[in-house]
Amino acid sequence: MTSEITLLVNPTAGHGRGAHAAQPAAGALRDAGFAVRTVVGADADDALRRARDAVADGTGALVAVGGDGMISLALQALAGTRTPLGVVAVGTGNDFARSLGLPVRDPEAAGRLVAELLKGGGGRDIDLGRVGDRWFGTVLASGFDSRVNDRGNRMKLPVGRFKYDLAILAELASFRPVPYRLTFDDGTERQVDATLVAVGNGTSYGGGMRICADARMDDGLFDVTVVGGCSRTTLIKVFPRVYRGTHLDHPKVTVHRVRAVTLDAPDVTGYADGEPLGPLPLTAECVPGALRVLALQGVPDGPDRPAPDHAPGR
């Protein structure tokens, strides 16, 4: 492995934390004996091109400095290669890092961990989701949650997470369950009126909302969380439980553990890792071992997982 490491930096992540985080992360890597090259794209397309060039040139690792948006971009360059991903999570949500138990908003600690794992030949292979030619690491959201994203993205004020809190309130006022058709990889088809359907490779989205709380990133399967049609009152009561993952035992919630799923519903946009994928229908496939990531062995979830509503044979 080459000793040169590439830092892919989003200077605007976390309201400017990305720019400040690059220096301590790079310092930790240099202290460990690595040469560090920093890449900052003029825009997302330029950053992706530069990331792909670094991988093609044989960089020892691509270290994404920023939030889930920057990690999503890095995945497009790394999926299916053996070049490892390092994560310096300094964004607003940081759900990819949370799902892997990595340091959040501590760039020096993150840099030290990346260096330690590179020197020890460590890291682990994890699964990724794929929709067409787009890869994702955490959750594909659709329904109520994606409509919140749609509305929040249209709002100029306030900034940060507060705007999504306001978007939630606005969407609640006009909320209606959506008729879905779900088709799983074994041919099973379900038609259901649902509040939302979330396809989880990782556990959380939205900065720690554990919508797919039992998902694992190394089992070759998605956890598809379906929140059935419910009243506004029920949704308001259940929604806070998402932060603890205890919503999964609510009678309106079912989990389907599958290798692939097609989501179809009218007037719904799919988002993966917080980035828009496009309108449904969309087919998501779980690709085992698609990414080498510089994270500790094991998974942060507990060893016991409740049986899902639907699980195909392995």
Side-chain angles (χ1 to χ4, degrees):
M1 175 184 291
T2 177
S3 63
E4 182 179 87
I5 305 303
T6 302
L7 257 61
L8 184 65
V9 180
N10 178 2
T12 65
H15 308 297
R17 281 191 296 269
H20 299 292
Q23 185 173 352
L29 286 162
R30 290 190 178 105
D31 288 347
F34 292 98
V36 178
R37 174 171 168 257
T38 300
V39 169
V40 181
D43 53 31
D45 289 341
D46 183 51
L48 178 56
R49 180 185 61 78
R50 291 170 180 264
R52 284 175 168 156
D53 287 347
V55 172
D57 290 343
T59 188
L62 186 68
V63 181
V65 182
D68 288 324
M70 179 55 76
I71 291 167
S72 175
L73 189 148
L75 296 184
Q76 313 315 309
L78 291 171
T81 76
R82 297 307 297 164
T83 304
L85 171 68
V87 177
V88 178
V90 291
T92 302
N94 304 309
D95 288 289
F96 187 85
R98 293 175 196 276
S99 290
L100 288 166
L102 293 170
V104 171
R105 297 179 186 165
D106 189 342
E108 185 175 354
R112 287 198 304 267
L113 180 61
V114 167
E116 176 186 337
L117 290 172
L118 281 172
K119 280 183 169 291
R124 49 186 284 221
D125 292 333
I126 64 168
D127 311 331
L128 292 177
R130 182 170 61 193
V131 177
D133 60 357
R134 286 280 301 277
W135 298 88
F136 68 94
T138 55
V139 177
L140 190 167
S142 73
F144 177 76
D145 43 9
S146 65
R147 289 182 174 179
V148 168
N149 258 319
D150 282 339
R151 184 180 289 270
N153 289 342
R154 294 194 300 268
M155 296 168 61
K156 297 186 186 299
L157 292 173
V159 297
R161 293 183 61 184
F162 289 113
K163 99 176 152 180
Y164 291 98
D165 293 337
L166 287 179
I168 287 172
L169 294 175
E171 283 299 319
L172 278 172
S174 59
F175 166 74
R176 295 288 186 280
V178 178
Y180 274 86
R181 183 170 72 247
L182 310 177
T183 307
F184 301 120
D185 55 283
D186 65 353
T188 301
E189 186 173 295
R190 300 282 179 94
Q191 296 197 34
V192 58
D193 287 344
T195 301
L196 63 88
V197 179
V199 181
N201 182 57
T203 56
S204 70
Y205 60 12
M209 290 188 285
R210 295 173 55 81
I211 188 68
C212 299
D214 293 322
R216 297 175 70 116
M217 301 179 87
D218 59 359
D219 64 353
L221 299 171
F222 289 133
D223 277 28
V224 181
T225 300
V226 180
V227 179
C230 55
S231 68
R232 292 187 190 90
T233 300
T234 299
L235 183 58
I236 290 168
K237 288 180 179 178
V238 172
F239 195 79
R241 296 172 58 181
V242 173
Y243 288 94
R244 301 186 302 276
T246 57
H247 63 292
L248 295 182
D249 61 10
H250 192 278
K252 288 289 186 180
V253 178
T254 56
V255 177
H256 310 267
R257 197 159 288 139
V258 298
R259 296 184 180 92
V261 59
T262 298
L263 310 178
D264 194 2
D267 303 318
V268 175
T269 301
Y271 282 77
D273 293 340
E275 303 295 317
L277 290 176
L280 272 53
L282 294 171
T283 297
E285 173 192 6
C286 184
V287 182
L291 179 72
R292 186 71 175 170
V293 65
L294 294 168
L296 296 173
Q297 295 294 329
V299 291
D301 306 292
D304 298 322
R305 296 202 293 169
D309 175 72
H310 168 82
R314 298 300 298 269

